[in-house]
């Protein structure tokens, strides 16, 4: 049975002759394409798999065999499917990024003068203010606000971190994502040494 | 003299006849009508006779407008002079899934201008899928001195600056409910705009926003608003901060926590648990972002009286959910992510016999390699344990006809059945047959069914079943289904109570569209996108039914004759004048 669809016709007669087909249903029908909503001239139902429109960006798999056990075709992103509000999608995607990257990113935190070190999971935070607030809470100290010109000037403490090259850097200079990918450990400097950093 | 009496004597010059007909005084009628809250009851009342119509319109204080374009603000103001509360819905529901162009319309401003003139004592505004700008929010804030409640759900066009205006000017505000909107979050300083003298807030929901707010300002606000019963925090509020808030607000009935994942010391855990156990009125819990299983036991004290638990932002495992649910025997509504898997849903069936509503959302939307999530087994397990289940929203990766038949046998009282098999057009994974019999079972067994969303591979048979059996169906959502026009014709012909029909990517064409010619005026709206409807079909519909607005949205590069997206709705306001160029009104 010819599968080519005639796009010049307004009435798409082939559409009314549809037999729904997926591999293994007993027909020799080619596999259904999964992204009918992507803009093109196609006016067929999703069950017709062959799309000859030049605008189609799909990867069409034509499998006439009964292979129910093979993995499903690459799930192309159909616009607006599955029907989840963007707000929820965005929330889930940012959580997923955190989980996928592993079991958390624990780094040691030392504070000058404290008897022992602590460990925190950098993955839990999404911004510098959150991280600094957590450090302030954990160690009962005040670090204050960051400024590009003055660092943490005015505070007795300066948060620093050791990066991949082994250098000690001031927390806050680079974008957050860059920071968490390069931070190996944290050190909160205290006193004159800390104040000195702000004037450099 | 009561206004209605005045009207009555003007309208019916033959007084004797009227007094004989109306056997009890207007005062009694109006008193009785003022007790009517349901807008449907009020609509029915207004149709009885002219006197009742007048009595009803003078006593109505709340108006519900399901489609903002079905009527104009001027018409509303003319008919209902005493409105204090307005609920308005705008864009078609598929705008939530990016199927509606950006600047489509549903702007609230024109309504606000009329309200400012006609309803200066307006107290409540609840909007869903409307476009609202910061200027409109400012206008709202300064135009209504008695304004009390603002609720925005799935709206867009505004930023936190608009919220700042509300916080600054609305001295009598009791409710600020910002949910799932496309909001431009410019920072959390809006919360600090509530004046120190402001104490009336009862509902505060800013869970939607991501920026940090000034916690001290929030703590003071919560501390002085002693009537606060609903507080839903955003992710930036930490567990430790939550504890501090709860200590000052044990009266809370609904709580949305902030982030639930930071490191807590043992002492902090104990303090949090203690603060929660003081919240004796708490029946709803949500938030719990990034919840770590180890901190969930802190929730146990409130779990015993919880009726609604929203875990849809906490990717819990099955064992974590099971442990938590063991403490939630009174749960009526549960929302979870499919990370809990079938095993987690078994725990639902075992622990929550009073459950009425279950929503399972997908966590991994684009994961191709591993099939996580829930299957038919989880749904079946819940149905065995929860016979009172009547509302379900279920996103799954596979389903079978037999499972659905079992489910509705166990739970015949479904009013809302929304099943989303996530791979479009997927058949019964065991028999490889279409899912027709599944939905056939649903509509045959669940006679009270009001809302249905179908999915999976479906032929016209599904729609034959729907048309034949779903006599109470009001809302139907269809995607990637059907074989021919006949399917939609069955629905249009059989579902007498149908009000909203939304269809995408189905082989329904002009014959199907036109089969509903006489039906559309009794419906709120019809949406058809990526179907086989043409411009000619739409023009014909528009010509035959002048009281319908037939709007077509064209996509770039599509055939001139195709009607890519069609939106049809009844209206007494005529065609709208604010449509963008991409929307053609026929």
């Amino acid at each position: 049975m010819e599968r080519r669809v005639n796009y010049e016709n307004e009435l798409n007669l082939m559409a009314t002759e549809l037999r729904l087909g997926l591999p293994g249903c007993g027909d020799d029908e080619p596999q259904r394409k999964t992204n009918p909503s992507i803009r093109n001239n196609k006016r067929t139902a999703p069950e017709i798999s062959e799309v000859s429109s030049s605008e189609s960006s799909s990867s069409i798999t034509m499998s006439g065999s009964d292979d129910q056990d093979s993995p499903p075709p690459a799930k192309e992103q159909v616009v607006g499917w599955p029907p989840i509000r963007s707000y929820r999608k965005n929330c889930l995607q940012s959580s997923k990024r955190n989980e996928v990257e592993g079991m958390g990113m624990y780094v040691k935190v030392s504070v000058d003068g404290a008897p022992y070190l602590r460990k925190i999971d950098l993955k839990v935070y999404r911004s510098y203010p959150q991280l600094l607030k957590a450090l302030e809470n954990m160690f009962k100290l005040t670090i204050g606000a960051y400024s590009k010109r003055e660092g943490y000037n005015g505070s007795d403490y300066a948060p620093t971190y050791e990066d991949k090259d082994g250098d000690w850097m001031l927390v806050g200079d680079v974008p957050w994502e860059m920071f968490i990918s390069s931070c190996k450990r944290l050190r909160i400097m205290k006193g004159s040494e800390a104040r000195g950093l702000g004037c450099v | 003299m009561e206004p209605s009496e005045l009207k009555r004597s003007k309208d019916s010059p033959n007084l004797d006849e009227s007094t004989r007909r109306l056997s009890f005084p207007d005062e009694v009628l109006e008193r009785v009508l003022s007790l009517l809250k349901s807008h449907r009851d009020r609509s029915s009342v207004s149709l009885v006779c002219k006197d009742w119509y007048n009595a009803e319109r003078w006593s109505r204080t709340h108006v519900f407008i399901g489609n903002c374009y079905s009527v104009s603000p001027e018409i509303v103001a003319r008919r209902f002079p005493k409105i204090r509360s307005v609920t308005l819905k705008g864009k078609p529901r598929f705008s939530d899934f990016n199927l509606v162009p950006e600047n489509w319309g549903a702007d609230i401003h024109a309504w606000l201008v009329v309200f400012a003139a006609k309803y200066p004592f307006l107290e409540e505004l609840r909007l869903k899928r409307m476009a609202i700008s910061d200027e409109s929010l400012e206008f709202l804030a300064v135009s209504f001195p008695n304004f009390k409640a603002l609720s925005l759900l799935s709206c867009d066009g505004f930023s936190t600056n608009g919220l700042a205006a509300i916080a600054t000017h609305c001295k009598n505000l009791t409710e600020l409910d910002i949910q799932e909107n496309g909001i431009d979050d410019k920072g959390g300083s809006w919360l600090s705009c509530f004046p120190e003298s402001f104490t009336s807030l009862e509902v505060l929901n800013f869970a939607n926003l991501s920026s940090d707010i000034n916690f001290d300002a929030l703590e003071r606000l919560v501390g002085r608003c002693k009537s606060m019963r609903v507080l839903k925090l955003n992710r930036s509020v930490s567990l430790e901060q939550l504890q501090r808030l709860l200590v000052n607000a044990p009266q809370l009935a609904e709580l949305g926590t902030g982030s639930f994942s930071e490191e807590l010391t043992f002492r902090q855990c104990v303090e949090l648990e203690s603060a929660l156990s003081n919240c004796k009125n708490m029946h709803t819990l949500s938030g719990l972002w990034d919840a770590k299983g180890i901190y969930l036991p802190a929730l146990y004290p409130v779990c015993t009286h919880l009726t609604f638990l929203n875990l849809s932002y906490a990717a819990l495992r099955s064992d974590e959910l099971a442990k938590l649910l063991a403490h939630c025997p009174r749960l009526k509504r549960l929302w979870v992510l499919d990370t809990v898997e079938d095993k987690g849903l078994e725990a639902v069936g075992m622990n929550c016999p009073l459950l009425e509503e279950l929503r399972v959302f997908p966590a991994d939307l684009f994961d191709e390699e591993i099939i996580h999530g829930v299957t038919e087994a989880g749904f079946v397990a819940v149905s065995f344990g929860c016979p009172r289940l009547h509302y379900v929203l279920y996103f799954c990766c596979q389903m079978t006809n037999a499972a659905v038949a079992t489910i509705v046998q166990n739970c015949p009282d479904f009013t809302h059945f929304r099943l989303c098999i996530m791979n479009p057009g997927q058949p019964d994974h065991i028999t490889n047959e279409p899912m027709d019999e599944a939905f056939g079972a649903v509509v045959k067994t669940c006679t009270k069914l009001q809302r249905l969303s179908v999915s999976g591979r479906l032929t016209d048979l599904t729609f034959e079943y729907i048309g034949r059996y779903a006599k109470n169906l009001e809302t139907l959502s269809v995607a990637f289904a059907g074989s021919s026009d006949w399917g939609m014709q069955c629905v249009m012909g059989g579902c007498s109570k149908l009000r909203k029909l939304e269809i995408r990517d189905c082989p329904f064409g002009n014959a199907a569209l036109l089969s509903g010619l006489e039906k559309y005026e009794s419906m709120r709206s019809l949406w058809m996108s990526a179907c086989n409807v043409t411009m000619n079909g739409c023009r014909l519909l528009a010509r035959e039914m002048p009281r319908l607005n037939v709007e077509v949205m064209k996509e770039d590069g599509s055939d001139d004759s195709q009607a890519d997206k069609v939106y049809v709705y009844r209206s007494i306001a005529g065609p709208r004048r604010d449509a963008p160029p991409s929307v053609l009104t026929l």
Side-chain angles (χ1 to χ4, degrees):
Chain A
M1 190 186 220
E2 190 167 38
R3 290 276 143 208
R4 203 169 349 111
V5 178
N6 190 342
Y7 294 110
E8 277 85 71
N9 289 354
E10 193 158 305
L11 292 177
N12 198 333
L13 294 173
M14 293 306 266
T16 59
E17 283 190 72
L18 282 182
R19 310 236 334 276
L20 307 171
L22 276 182
C25 62
D27 278 332
D28 257 333
E29 293 194 341
Q31 201 164 41
R32 187 181 49 73
K33 188 170 91 71
T34 55
N35 63 341
S37 286
I38 293 181
R39 290 196 215 133
N40 56 28
N41 281 340
K42 186 177 86 67
R43 273 299 123 203
T44 61
E47 292 78 19
I48 289 190
S49 63
E50 189 169 340
V51 177
S52 40
S53 159
S54 52
E55 285 183 84
S56 167
S57 58
S58 65
S59 60
I60 301 157
T61 37
M62 306 259 287
S63 109
S65 60
D66 299 4
D67 53 349
Q68 275 156 275
D69 298 326
S70 67
K75 271 190 227 164
E76 295 182 51
Q77 294 175 31
V78 177
V79 173
W81 190 265
I84 312 261
R85 284 192 187 138
S86 337
Y87 169 70
R88 187 174 280 282
K89 269 188 187 161
N90 294 339
C91 281
L92 294 175
Q93 280 190 297
S94 55
S95 309
K96 189 186 172 189
R97 236 178 277 127
N98 290 342
E99 278 174 41
V100 158
E101 277 146 30
M103 296 292 295
M105 237 194 94
Y106 282 90
V107 296
K108 290 184 189 169
V109 189
S110 60
V111 176
D112 291 352
Y116 52 83
L117 277 62
R118 302 292 303 270
K119 262 200 163 173
I120 58 167
D121 178 2
L122 287 182
K123 283 290 176 218
V124 158
Y125 311 103
R126 281 179 325 287
S127 67
Y128 284 118
Q130 279 190 0
L131 171 64
L132 294 175
K133 204 178 1 180
L135 292 174
E136 288 179 335
N137 270 347
M138 190 180 249
F139 297 104
K140 303 283 171 281
L141 42 79
T142 309
I143 299 174
Y146 165 84
S147 84
K148 220 164 172 70
R149 281 195 82 222
E150 319 258 312
Y152 296 90
N153 213 8
S155 169
D156 278 340
Y157 297 95
T160 64
Y161 69 100
E162 185 183 0
D163 74 356
K164 286 194 172 130
D165 301 325
D167 296 319
W168 284 93
M169 318 289 295
L170 185 67
V171 168
D173 285 334
V174 300
W176 175 255
E177 297 294 333
M178 196 188 293
F179 163 70
I180 56 173
S181 63
S182 55
C183 171
K184 281 169 49 191
R185 52 185 298 171
L186 285 161
R187 175 186 165 200
I188 302 181
M189 289 180 165
K190 187 180 169 170
S192 52
E193 215 185 330
R195 279 185 287 262
L197 270 177
C199 303
V200 163
Chain B
M1 208 182 178
E2 289 286 296
S4 58
E5 269 183 67
L6 251 169
K7 287 218 111 300
R8 199 179 122 222
S9 52
K10 271 200 246 168
D11 291 342
S12 29
N14 192 346
L15 261 174
D16 283 336
E17 216 179 280
S18 325
T19 43
R20 251 186 279 129
R21 257 188 265 131
L22 199 64
S23 54
F24 53 86
D26 280 338
E27 296 83 30
V28 178
L29 179 61
E30 279 178 16
R31 181 82 183 94
V32 169
L33 294 186
S34 68
L35 299 171
L36 276 181
K37 300 295 173 218
S38 148
H39 62 272
R40 285 197 205 183
D41 287 343
R42 282 182 162 273
S43 288
S44 309
V45 159
S46 67
L47 294 172
V48 170
C49 65
K50 206 157 190 176
D51 289 326
W52 282 46
Y53 176 89
N54 282 323
E56 193 280 313
R57 61 183 272 262
W58 279 95
S59 66
R60 197 187 289 213
T61 55
H62 170 245
V63 68
F64 170 85
I65 298 160
N67 173 3
C68 65
Y69 286 119
S70 63
V71 73
S72 75
E74 290 82 6
I75 295 175
V76 173
R78 230 183 354 252
R79 178 170 171 189
F80 299 115
K82 295 238 191 111
I83 296 297
R84 306 227 157 199
S85 165
V86 176
T87 301
L88 260 173
K89 295 189 182 181
K91 301 182 199 180
R93 193 176 78 97
F94 279 177
S95 73
D96 284 349
F97 319 127
N98 301 327
L99 289 180
V100 172
E102 278 287 310
N103 51 350
W104 182 84
D107 195 301
I108 189 65
H109 203 81
W111 291 84
L112 290 178
V113 169
V114 172
F115 291 163
K118 304 290 184 187
Y119 304 139
F121 299 112
L122 188 70
E123 293 176 4
E124 297 182 0
L125 190 62
R126 296 175 200 287
L127 304 180
K128 188 170 185 180
R129 294 193 199 99
M130 299 285 297
I132 178 162
S133 66
D134 285 343
E135 289 70 40
S136 296
L137 283 171
E138 265 181 59
F139 181 76
L140 169 67
V142 302
S143 308
F144 303 98
N146 264 12
F147 196 71
K148 293 199 169 110
L150 178 65
S151 168
L152 300 175
L153 172 58
S154 207
C155 297
D156 63 2
F158 62 108
S159 79
T160 40
N161 291 344
L163 298 184
I166 299 285
T168 308
H169 299 290
C170 299
K171 307 267 180 280
N172 296 312
L173 200 68
T174 59
E175 179 176 337
L176 182 60
D177 184 10
I178 310 295
Q179 269 192 73
E180 300 194 15
N181 300 291
I183 182 174
D184 180 9
D185 193 339
K186 295 186 169 164
S189 56
W190 62 272
L191 193 111
S192 310
C193 292
F194 285 110
E196 289 297 320
S197 55
F198 173 75
T199 59
S200 50
L201 208 55
E202 295 170 23
V203 174
L204 177 62
N205 177 0
F206 62 97
N208 192 179
L209 304 172
S210 47
S211 300
D212 293 353
I213 39 93
N214 181 327
F215 181 71
D216 287 330
L218 175 64
E219 199 175 9
R220 285 196 308 274
L221 178 67
V222 172
R224 60 181 189 264
C225 294
K226 293 296 176 200
S227 304
M228 193 174 280
R229 49 186 173 81
V230 176
L231 178 62
K232 298 195 179 170
L233 308 166
N234 74 357
R235 230 166 168 166
S236 76
V237 177
S238 70
L239 275 177
E240 206 228 329
Q241 289 171 334
L242 171 66
Q243 186 265 339
R244 281 161 62 183
L245 290 172
L246 289 176
V247 158
N248 281 325
Q251 78 283 0
L252 284 177
E254 296 183 29
L255 173 67
T257 72
S259 173
F260 218 74
S261 64
E262 84 200 43
E263 314 272 324
L264 282 187
T265 64
F266 177 70
R267 188 180 56 92
Q268 284 170 319
C269 271
V270 167
E271 283 177 352
L272 177 61
E273 198 175 330
S274 161
L276 279 165
S277 62
N278 276 336
C279 299
K280 308 278 185 225
N281 294 336
M282 203 172 283
H283 56 70
T284 294
L285 189 61
S286 62
L288 300 165
W289 276 298
D290 314 314
K292 282 203 178 140
I294 44 165
Y295 297 131
L296 293 179
L299 301 173
Y300 291 169
V302 288
C303 286
T304 30
H305 16 272
L306 274 189
T307 54
F308 179 18
L309 179 57
N310 181 353
L311 297 170
S312 62
Y313 294 103
L316 296 185
R317 295 188 317 257
S318 53
D319 55 306
E320 292 170 329
L321 179 66
K323 261 190 260 166
L324 184 59
L325 289 182
H327 294 82
C328 306
R330 301 225 182 97
L331 222 49
K332 288 193 183 163
R333 300 171 65 196
L334 176 64
W335 296 15
V336 291
L337 283 176
D338 65 0
T339 52
V340 304
E341 296 182 346
D342 290 332
K343 225 163 172 298
L345 294 180
E346 278 172 38
V348 174
M350 286 194 291
N351 289 295
C352 306
L354 302 179
L355 199 69
E356 297 176 14
E357 175 181 326
L358 174 68
R359 300 194 197 199
V360 182
F361 294 95
D364 281 335
L365 291 176
F366 308 115
D367 193 334
E368 290 168 17
E369 273 127 37
I370 308 154
I371 307 215
H372 280 315
V374 294
T375 71
E376 72 274 15
F379 199 168
V380 170
V382 173
S383 73
F384 274 112
C386 309
R388 297 193 198 185
L389 200 61
H390 69 83
Y391 191 122
V392 128
L393 170 60
Y394 200 78
F395 285 87
C396 57
C397 52
Q398 64 190 44
M399 187 52 61
T400 67
N401 289 308
V404 177
T406 305
I407 288 161
V408 293
Q409 199 171 18
N410 293 336
C411 306
D413 297 328
F414 274 113
T415 54
H416 297 67
F417 193 91
R418 303 165 64 188
L419 177 63
C420 181
I421 304 167
M422 286 193 280
N423 198 13
Q426 184 173 297
D428 178 319
H429 80 95
I430 292 181
T431 66
N432 233 10
E433 284 173 2
M435 296 297 297
D436 296 334
E437 294 308 318
F439 294 103
V442 172
V443 293
K444 284 178 203 165
T445 316
C446 306
T447 51
K448 300 183 209 160
L449 196 69
Q450 291 168 28
R451 183 172 179 182
L452 179 64
S453 300
V454 299
S455 60
R457 193 203 305 169
L458 302 175
T459 70
D460 285 343
L461 184 55
T462 296
F463 302 101
E464 279 183 38
Y465 285 141
I466 293 175
R468 202 181 320 158
Y469 296 103
K471 293 306 178 189
N472 283 321
L473 193 66
E474 297 179 12
T475 304
L476 178 62
S477 306
V478 186
F480 306 105
S483 333
S484 72
D485 287 335
W486 172 241
M488 185 170 161
Q489 287 168 330
C490 288
V491 171
M492 298 314 300
C495 298
S496 42
K497 292 200 186 167
L498 195 65
R499 292 188 306 117
K500 286 177 279 184
L501 179 56
E502 41 185 34
I503 302 173
R504 62 166 292 183
D505 294 277
C506 296
F508 303 142
N510 292 336
L513 175 71
L514 296 169
S515 70
L517 211 62
E518 270 138 38
K519 186 129 183 69
Y520 298 131
E521 275 188 6
S522 64
M523 287 170 59
R524 184 186 294 175
S525 64
L526 165 75
W527 168 281
M528 285 179 80
S529 61
C531 295
N532 290 344
V533 174
T534 69
M535 292 299 290
N536 284 337
C538 294
R539 283 190 199 105
L540 186 59
L541 176 62
R543 204 162 44 233
E544 293 295 310
M545 307 296 296
R547 282 186 304 198
L548 295 179
N549 281 355
V550 179
E551 297 181 8
V552 176
M553 284 153 268
K554 300 282 293 169
E555 284 180 22
D556 296 334
S558 80
D559 196 330
D560 276 345
S561 60
Q562 289 303 326
D564 306 310
K565 294 174 181 169
V566 182
Y567 186 49
V568 179
Y569 57 92
R570 65 181 174 191
S571 176
I572 55 174
R576 61 182 177 115
R577 276 159 292 178
D578 62 352
S582 58
V583 177
L584 309 166
T585 306
L586 301 180

